[in-house]
Amino acid sequence: MRSLKTWELRAEFAKRLSTMYGNEVPAYNDLVEVSTSVNEDYVAKNGAEAERLGSIARVTAERHGAIRVGSAEEMSQVARVFAAFGMFPVGFYDLRDASSSSVPVVATAFRPIDEQELAKNPFRVFTSMLAAEDPRFFDAELQAELAAFIGARELFCPELLELADYAVSVDELPQERADRLLELATASLELSSDPVDYQWYKKLEAISAVAADIGGVSSTHINHLTPRVLDIDDLYERMQSRGISMIDEIQGPPRWDGPDVLLRQTSFRALGENRVFRYADGTTNEGQLRVRFGEVEARGIALTPAGRDLYDRMVAEAERRLANSANSATRAGVAAEVWAEELPQTEQELAARGLAFFTFGLDETAHASASVPETISLRELITAGIAVPQPIVYEDFLPRSAAGIFQSNLTEEGSKDESQTGTSYDINRMSSIIGAEVHDPNTLYQKQQDHSVAALAELLKISITH
Ligand code: OOG
Ligand code: NI
């Protein structure tokens, strides 16, 4: 009997979710279709260059999902399920203060952390947890009601959790068990047809539509599934010309002439979906909820903390200029101007200035014609053209864009009592909630870069300093 490796399970999980979500939200299938042709055209036009940030096979299959859970217990369970697919928690995102409307969640992203695993299939899921104990959003009475409602539901059945633990304990999972794991895991993220308690949902919605989406229903579901494109501006235009109206702008860095960094995303609101509501008098009726949408993204090079500081300063500078400029100025236009002034135009300079993460290859010709001392800095090797930078792709998310994504979904602001002190959450607290270390993304990128520098040093029999 055949067995499945972890990456094969992960690739199949992403595929099954994609089929399920396409049945639930048909506009997603259009998005995937357009994304695929954007990528094919981009590769046809740009050749090998197009694959610098990931092979076309990887990018075509690449998706991120988003789900939302209600408690620490549910978060720890979802971590067990994702571990079976080789997806581990990376990064901490606090969205409570990142947006003007009420978004009471903290989050992490489950993804592969190993270079080879990412190359095989980089499926990741942005996973938010309701900050149900934060008194700015929920008073004592509502906290108790929420805890009772969420405590009484079961998102992941014991069979799924046990199977997931078993999958983690073995190298490969026999076909039969793999099928069962995939079936249960996919079904656990399917939109439920259970009636929604109208009064309870509305009570939560008055505080936050996100809280209602999480705590007002009996299960969790994929909120969106996002394909990756190699040219997001092209995608944006093609979707518009198909009559699908996208949000006003592409979030994250602007389009510009230099290297793509971090992450650019855009989205459109999906249609309302029929759900059955149960009213206080016991009657049920069909109604609509509009909580899901389509999103697409383009990924660039991962920035170092210094690069990220520069990025944050550029964003702030673009905001400042936009506020002081004529009405016709656009955020993207102003940002492109700032980028041209501040950000290096080449990967080589990004690498030499330590602003982004790279692995390094050797240019034999440049090496042969130089006399390299026994100890030399990485910067000098890059500038001399001996160490040739290959970009490390950004595998994570941006809090500002994530907040924007949550927000673009909301029609109501919700409410927040700013006189209360918020519950404090950080990456360490998230680790103890999950019961496993939440990885720091920068540490992962740095390790990858360091390995490659060490390998180059060994090859050249020199020592390379920072
Ligand atoms: C998650 C929003 C974050 C992204 O791409 O930044 C996200 C959600 O809406 O649940 O998916
Ligand atoms: Ni997303």
Side-chain angles (χ1 to χ4, degrees), residues 64-66 126 224 226 265 293 295 297 397 405:
H64 88 245
F126 191 92
H224 59 270
T226 300
Q265 299 179 311
F293 64 110
E295 182 190 50
E297 67 191 11
F397 293 85
I405 295 297

Side-chain angles (χ1 to χ4, degrees), residues 13 17 63-68 78 82 87-90 108-112 122-128 189 222 224-225 397:
F13 185 36
L17 287 173
R63 301 282 184 278
H64 88 245
I67 62 166
R68 304 154 174 190
V78 88
F82 287 143
M87 297 157 71
F88 307 102
V90 182
T108 186
F110 291 88
R111 67 167 177 84
F123 187 46
R124 48 176 94 72
V125 179
F126 191 92
T127 306
S128 303
L189 304 183
I222 292 279
H224 59 270
L225 203 59
F397 293 85

Side-chain angles (χ1 to χ4, degrees), residues 64-68 93 95 103 105 107 125-128 210 213-214 221-226 251 263 265 291 293 295-297 299 396-409:
H64 88 245
I67 62 166
R68 304 154 174 190
Y93 305 86
L95 299 177
V103 180
V105 304
V125 179
F126 191 92
T127 306
S128 303
V210 174
D213 182 48
I214 300 172
H221 50 260
I222 292 279
N223 175 272
H224 59 270
L225 203 59
T226 300
Q251 313 211 26
L263 176 65
Q265 299 179 311
V291 290
F293 64 110
E295 182 190 50
V296 65
E297 67 191 11
R299 291 188 171 266
D396 296 287
F397 293 85
L398 296 176
R400 241 177 112 96
S401 305
I405 295 297
F406 269 106
Q407 213 142 309
S408 65
N409 242 344

Side-chain angles (χ1 to χ4, degrees), residues 249-268:
E249 50 192 26
I250 295 171
Q251 313 211 26
R255 170 185 210 129
W256 80 305
D257 283 339
D260 281 328
V261 299
L262 298 174
L263 176 65
R264 302 179 68 204
Q265 299 179 311
T266 190
S267 61
F268 61 88

Side-chain angles (χ1 to χ4, degrees), residues 366-401:
H367 180 237
S369 62
S371 73
V372 179
E374 250 171 58
T375 301
I376 185 170
S377 72
L378 179 60
R379 187 188 188 123
E380 285 168 297
L381 281 175
I382 296 167
T383 313
I386 296 168
V388 185
Q390 317 278 351
I392 296 180
V393 71
Y394 187 60
E395 306 285 355
D396 296 287
F397 293 85
L398 296 176
R400 241 177 112 96
S401 305

Side-chain angles (χ1 to χ4, degrees), residues 87-152:
M87 297 157 71
F88 307 102
V90 182
F92 173 76
Y93 305 86
D94 191 340
L95 299 177
R96 293 174 299 167
D97 297 315
S99 51
S100 57
S101 37
S102 177
V103 180
V105 304
V106 291
T108 186
F110 291 88
R111 67 167 177 84
I113 53 177
D114 190 85
E115 200 178 331
Q116 280 85 33
E117 287 290 314
L118 283 160
K120 284 175 184 149
N121 185 292
F123 187 46
R124 48 176 94 72
V125 179
F126 191 92
T127 306
S128 303
M129 181 188 86
L130 189 68
E133 289 155 25
D134 192 324
R136 291 174 303 171
F137 303 98
F138 312 105
D139 63 23
E141 190 190 320
L142 197 51
Q143 284 190 25
E145 282 181 287
L146 262 175
F149 185 91
I150 289 168

